[in-house]
Amino acid sequence: MIKRGKLEITKDILEIIYNNKNSIKPTPLLRKSNLSSTRFKEYYTNLLEKGFIQELTDKDGTKYITLTEKGFRFLEKYKAITTFIDEFEL
Amino acid sequence: MRPLEQIFMVGPGTEVFYSFIIIVCSLMVYFGTKELYELSSYKGIKYFRLSFLFFALAYFFRSFITFILSFFNIGTIHEFSPIFMPIGPLTLLLFMYFSSMALFYLLYSIIWKKWDKNSIMVYTFHIIAVIISLVSIFSRRMEVLLGINIFLFIFVSSVFYVAHKDKKIKNKWNNLYAVYILLLIFWVLNIIDILIPPFLQTFQMVIYLASCGIFLIILYKVLKKTGN
């Protein structure tokens, strides 16, 4: 199995949220991301800090994760980012 | 003046226009890739952008050098006294520093994955750039100035070649490698043109046109890939 790069993992996590009607609980997100809980926590914190995702709590106190505008923009631009990196051999 | 020199030599107006084109191209590359970097935080994109920011700064000081040479009606920048007329050597110092760093950042954007474990590499490049700048100011010997630039060319082009060869890319002879090598060749010629003006005076126009062409090709590739 090919090791996923940081950008690809970020894209995969954001895509899971997007494909789940932009609302998912942390535990299913961890399960679907195919990462260890330690690595998932690293990425999760990073995505929150960068403003790609946000945590929302409903009236029952359940925590949901949704994409921010920046998160949507990342998904839109992901292909451009990877082709740019390939083209310029960065 | 021989007829060939009359055709290929350029005046101050052309110099300013030439610098303007390169500065605009470099800044467009820098700002055109801003969003890609902000979204990805990818180090390769960061060094690539910094390289073009430094190219813009280097060309700004290059045009300033040609301006003061023309203003004071002086043949070469080394005729300025470092003590009584520091503006000349100071501008040359900044030009050499920014131009060396532009090349080093471009190089680092390709090889950062291999050298990233050693984070002092960027600082080493800064130190080398400062040394090159100081030698360029204090040495008036043509052989030393040529030697530095030939060394820089050989060092950067060989690392480019090794990095390019090692990468698992589909088209080994894609035109990016050729563009980078041409950029490097004409960049060194530009530096020699500033440090030792009589050396390449006959072919100034050719160097300028080729340099503009290379920067426009890179800008086109960047805009095409970023979708701007």
Side-chain angles (χ1 to χ4, degrees), chain B residues 162-228:
Chain B
V162 172
H164 178 76
K165 214 176 79 175
D166 287 352
K167 289 203 173 166
K168 289 169 189 164
I169 47 173
K170 285 172 200 161
N171 181 8
K172 277 273 176 195
W173 289 103
N174 72 347
N175 50 20
L176 179 81
Y177 179 64
V179 171
Y180 275 180
I181 291 296
L182 283 173
L183 175 77
L184 198 58
I185 292 168
F186 284 97
W187 185 245
V188 172
L189 291 177
N190 266 290
I191 292 175
I192 294 171
D193 181 43
I194 279 291
L195 292 176
I196 318 159
F199 199 74
L200 295 164
Q201 213 163 30
T202 318
F203 302 104
Q204 263 180 333
M205 186 60 100
V206 177
I207 295 169
Y208 290 4
L209 285 173
S211 301
C212 284
I214 292 161
F215 273 84
L216 285 167
I217 289 170
I218 294 174
L219 176 65
Y220 170 73
K221 276 172 160 284
V222 167
L223 295 181
K224 206 172 91 178
K225 292 295 162 190
T226 54
N228 288 334

Side-chain angles (χ1 to χ4, degrees), chain B residues 104-117:
Chain B
F104 289 147
Y105 271 130
L106 192 64
L107 181 75
Y108 203 54
S109 72
I110 294 172
I111 47 145
W112 68 275
K113 276 184 189 163
K114 279 187 181 173
W115 293 1
D116 201 37
K117 288 158 201 156

Side-chain angles (χ1 to χ4, degrees), chain B residues 11-49:
Chain B
T14 318
E15 286 271 4
V16 172
F17 184 63
Y18 162 65
S19 296
F20 177 76
I21 291 175
I22 306 271
I23 291 169
V24 169
C25 284
S26 301
L27 290 178
M28 279 177 81
V29 169
Y30 180 73
F31 289 109
T33 50
K34 188 173 179 259
E35 192 188 16
L36 293 194
Y37 176 64
E38 280 176 354
L39 288 172
S40 65
S41 304
Y42 191 78
K43 281 187 182 175
I45 300 178
K46 174 186 164 183
Y47 298 128
F48 181 81
R49 296 183 71 223

Side-chain angles (χ1 to χ4, degrees), chain B residues 115-157:
Chain B
W115 293 1
D116 201 37
K117 288 158 201 156
N118 192 357
S119 59
I120 59 159
M121 210 56 224
V122 174
Y123 299 107
T124 312
F125 282 143
H126 281 286
I127 293 165
I128 297 170
V130 170
I131 293 168
I132 290 171
S133 316
L134 290 173
V135 172
S136 304
I137 288 179
F138 293 111
S139 175
R140 285 153 193 260
R141 291 180 61 190
M142 205 177 183
E143 311 89 74
V144 176
L145 299 173
L146 275 175
I148 290 173
N149 286 293
I150 289 166
F151 165 76
L152 203 64
F153 171 74
I154 293 169
F155 171 70
V156 178
S157 55

